[in-house]
Amino acid sequence: MLVINALRRAAEYFVGTLMALMFLTFILQIFIRYTARVGWVADAVPLLDPTRYGWTLEFCLLLWVWIIFAGCAFVVRDRDHVTFDVLYNHVRPGVRRWFAIVGGLIIIVGLVASILPTWDKFYILRLKQTATLKQLVGDWVRMRDVYSVYLLFLIAVSLRYAWAVWRAIRDRPAQLHHGPGRLDE
């Protein structure tokens, strides 16, 4: 459990760092946009030439993709998700167990079934370069690298649901709603 908590904490720091990078890039975009309106600024300070900062939009999009998929796979807990649990909370615990098992298995099958098509698409994306990120990091970044976090997402969420199904089979399913307002309490 200690290892899992350390990995979760590392994932939180990683996603938090990505969010900070995205925010700083956004601030840079705003600064460059407003200094571009003053014509003499780009002439006086060539580093502030707005044509050098086309990469910021694509970099923010890359960070956004990584924040969403890495955050959902490794940081967001099950109890933090929005759930529609009206029916789940109004049935007996035995039926809840079957809901958790069947629902988890459906999600696992769907995610695992999409791994191979995703991998095939990544094989094609390994050839495609990003449009503007090469200004920042060179031309070694491919679109495959930008979207590779999605494959991690598929695997991690499949494993999380496999663990939830195993817990539901072995013990009891986790409660979907932990806050106040449950009707069966």
Side-chain angles (χ1 to χ4, degrees):
M1 196 65 169
L2 188 61
V3 172
I4 291 174
N5 288 336
L7 290 174
R8 179 181 297 278
R9 182 68 60 188
E12 289 173 356
Y13 285 130
F14 176 70
V15 171
T17 302
L18 294 181
M19 292 178 83
L21 277 172
M22 188 168 146
F23 177 73
L24 292 174
T25 305
F26 177 69
I27 295 299
L28 177 65
Q29 285 176 329
I30 292 171
F31 181 75
I32 295 300
R33 182 174 299 141
Y34 282 104
T35 59
R37 294 179 183 217
V38 182
W40 60 269
V41 172
D43 295 334
V45 184
L47 184 65
L48 297 179
D49 183 14
T51 59
R52 296 172 164 240
Y53 294 94
W55 58 268
T56 57
L57 179 62
E58 195 169 64
F59 187 62
C60 280
L61 293 173
L62 174 144
L63 291 172
W64 184 249
V65 167
W66 274 76
I67 289 167
I68 293 300
F69 287 116
C72 187
F74 302 113
V75 176
V76 177
R77 298 167 299 204
D78 291 335
R79 68 176 180 245
D80 295 334
H81 286 279
V82 174
T83 59
F84 300 98
D85 55 1
V86 174
L87 181 61
Y88 182 87
N89 287 331
H90 283 85
V91 297
R92 294 184 332 267
V95 177
R96 286 183 192 175
R97 174 178 289 181
W98 282 106
F99 279 176
I101 292 169
V102 172
L105 289 174
I106 289 170
I107 291 170
I108 292 167
V109 167
L111 293 177
V112 169
S114 67
I115 289 174
L116 188 58
T118 301
W119 185 260
D120 291 342
K121 184 67 174 176
F122 282 175
Y123 187 74
I124 294 168
L125 288 177
R126 80 187 184 341
L127 301 172
K128 188 173 180 174
Q129 293 181 354
T130 62
T132 58
L133 276 180
K134 56 186 151 194
Q135 294 174 356
L136 179 64
V137 294
D139 63 351
W140 60 271
V141 175
R142 303 286 189 225
M143 293 306 288
R144 171 198 60 206
D145 305 324
V146 172
Y147 294 109
S148 63
V149 69
Y150 182 65
L151 194 59
L152 290 172
F153 166 81
L154 292 176
I155 294 167
V157 174
S158 297
L159 291 173
R160 285 175 66 176
Y161 273 94
W163 177 251
V165 166
W166 172 251
R167 277 192 356 239
I169 290 170
R170 207 173 118 242
D171 301 322
R172 61 181 177 82
Q175 294 296 327
L176 292 180
H177 189 131
H178 294 282
R182 283 193 45 171
L183 299 174
D184 63 341
E185 293 182 334

